[in-house]
Amino acid sequence: MSSPSQPVPPPPSSHTDEPSPQTIQISSLGLLGVLLLAFGLSFVIFASPPWVSVLWIVPIGVAYWMLRVRTVVDTRGLHVRRVFGSEVIAWDEIEGFRFPKRAGWARARLTDGSEKSLPVVTFEKLPLIAAASGGRVTDPYALSARIERERREQERAEADADQRDSDQSPE
């Protein structure tokens, strides 16, 4: 029997979907904002001395950042890509996830006690992570939906039993 800190995926069966890698990244629609920023800066840049053209670095840098950072989840682990560098975190190294109370990206808590930031990953992305992890991460939304479905089925079964009892009682 495995310990709770060592997640083990369930064995695959013929009725379970094969997990597919999921890429969690900033929406490319955000590049529209970068274009608007560049458009607004162009008035300042063209109306100023030539050295002000270094301001073009701002929209270019933001666009590069938006296109570069991402987290790819698959059955082997998390592939984290940052502005400068990338790394792979295997599932065996991950003890759990922490989601900051304030706005921010999730953090993977590692077995050695350290934490790694996961770019673009928020609590709302957990279903994607759960689908791609091969059963190593539980989808909290699916769990709550399953509990609610079981509760409704139990209430329906109790109502049917009450109905049968009232139908069988002599009047």
Side-chain angles (χ1 to χ4, degrees):
M1 179 173 233
S2 67
S3 66
S5 65
Q6 297 290 333
V8 177
S13 67
S14 61
H15 64 277
T16 56
D17 293 334
E18 188 66 32
S20 61
Q22 297 289 329
T23 301
I24 303 170
Q25 62 187 13
I26 297 173
S27 171
S28 56
L29 188 60
L31 291 174
L32 183 61
V34 174
L35 287 175
L36 289 173
L37 174 64
F39 180 72
L41 279 176
S42 67
F43 293 107
V44 173
I45 292 170
F46 293 132
S48 299
W51 63 267
V52 178
S53 62
V54 298
L55 287 177
W56 284 120
I57 293 173
V58 174
I60 292 169
V62 172
Y64 177 76
W65 173 78
M66 290 177 68
L67 294 171
R68 172 91 177 140
V69 298
R70 67 187 60 189
T71 300
V72 178
V73 184
D74 62 18
T75 55
R76 293 177 307 217
L78 302 171
H79 305 266
V80 178
R81 216 162 95 177
R82 295 183 180 82
V83 174
F84 302 109
S86 57
E87 67 180 309
V88 177
I89 306 170
W91 287 116
D92 296 342
E93 300 175 37
I94 298 174
E95 187 176 280
F97 296 98
R98 184 173 67 84
F99 298 91
K101 288 185 181 182
R102 301 188 200 282
W105 292 337
R107 305 196 51 85
R109 195 172 50 249
L110 305 180
T111 53
D112 66 3
S114 64
E115 287 189 345
K116 300 275 184 165
S117 175
L118 303 176
V120 197
V121 175
T122 59
F123 189 78
E124 292 79 25
K125 303 292 185 187
L126 268 177
L128 292 175
I129 295 172
S133 71
R136 290 174 176 86
V137 177
T138 304
D139 180 0
Y141 297 111
L143 181 63
S144 64
R146 190 184 86 215
I147 290 170
E148 181 64 25
R149 186 174 55 250
E150 289 172 356
R151 184 188 62 78
R152 276 190 259 120
E153 289 172 0
Q154 183 179 4
E155 287 175 353
R156 193 175 309 122
E158 289 172 358
D160 290 346
D162 290 344
Q163 182 66 29
R164 280 193 304 270
D165 289 346
S166 66
D167 289 346
Q168 291 177 356
S169 65
E171 296 184 43

